[in-house]
């Protein structure tokens, strides 16, 4: 499974640096010089290259040459991206890593999103409520997006009072929802 760790934004300056919208808790590790990230082109097709008749192709992998934070944004220079036009062609490209390459968290109470997606959601009595469709990261707490059997979705705050247990080995999340939570 591919995990998005960043999205390339606009160029910064004329030497090929780009802004990156960071989507990982470990930017220092993921964007360390020498790191290689796979790419998934964004929805916007890249513009043509400077050479007539030769369209620019986003490389399948990009190697980090340098990364730094500047005014709250991450700026990244990639190996081989040397000018503003080439950097502009990367805009919207997603930077991904394989979930198999991601170490599990040290804290047993912490989980990566990909570990939770697809798990069955059950009550403490064993009643099946659905499955985890995705995780939304809200400002106050993370939310489990529950896909209900009838096709609806429900949001469950990912807090210990409501989610007392995550059983990765058993493939389930135990949820003790307060009355009415799943009816919202």
């Amino acid at each position: 499974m591919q995990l998005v760790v960043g999205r390339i934004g606009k160029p910064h300056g004329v030497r090929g640096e780009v802004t990156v919208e960071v989507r990982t808790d470990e930017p220092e590790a993921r964007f360390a010089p020498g790191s290689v990230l796979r790419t998934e082109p964004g929805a916007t097709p890249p513009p043509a290259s400077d050479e007539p008749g030769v369209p620019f192709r986003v490389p399948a992998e990009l190697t980090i040459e340098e990364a730094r934070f500047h005014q709250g944004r991450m700026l990244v220079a990639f190996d081989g991206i040397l000018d503003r036009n080439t950097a502009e062609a990367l805009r919207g490209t997603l930077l991904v890593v394989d979930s198999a390459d991601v170490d599990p968290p040290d804290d047993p109470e912490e989980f990566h999103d990909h570990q939770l997606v697809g798990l069955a959601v059950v009550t403490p009595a064993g009643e099946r409520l659905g499955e985890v469709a995705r995780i939304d990261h809200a400002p106050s707490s993370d939310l489990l997006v529950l896909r209900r059997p009838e096709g609806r979705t429900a949001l469950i705050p990912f807090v210990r009072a409501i989610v007392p247990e995550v059983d990765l080995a058993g493939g389930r999340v135990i949820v003790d929802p307060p009355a009415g939570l799943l009816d919202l």
Side-chain angles (χ1 to χ4, degrees), residues 148-172:
R148 303 278 288 152
E150 67 273 7
R152 294 184 312 115
T153 60
L155 299 177
I156 299 173
F158 195 23
V159 295
R160 180 171 291 288
I162 299 172
V163 184
E165 183 180 345
V166 175
D167 179 6
L168 292 178
R172 65 190 183 137

Side-chain angles (χ1 to χ4, degrees), residues 8-72:
I8 297 176
K10 64 183 182 178
H12 179 81
V14 297
R15 296 194 175 126
E17 268 189 321
V18 294
T19 61
V20 172
E21 174 190 321
V22 177
R23 296 187 186 173
T24 178
D25 289 341
E26 302 170 330
E28 295 81 14
R30 296 281 166 236
F31 294 96
S35 296
V36 177
L37 299 172
R38 294 186 190 106
T39 63
E40 287 185 11
T44 308
S49 73
D50 290 338
E51 297 180 45
V54 180
F56 176 81
R57 300 268 186 244
V58 174
E61 296 181 338
L62 290 169
T63 302
I64 307 290
E65 190 172 280
E66 180 184 357
R68 61 191 168 95
F69 280 97
H70 174 70
Q71 296 181 346

Side-chain angles (χ1 to χ4, degrees), residues 129 146 148 150 152-156 175 177-184:
L129 300 173
L146 173 65
R148 303 278 288 152
E150 67 273 7
R152 294 184 312 115
T153 60
L155 299 177
I156 299 173
V175 173
L181 179 66
L182 301 179
D183 298 326
L184 297 176

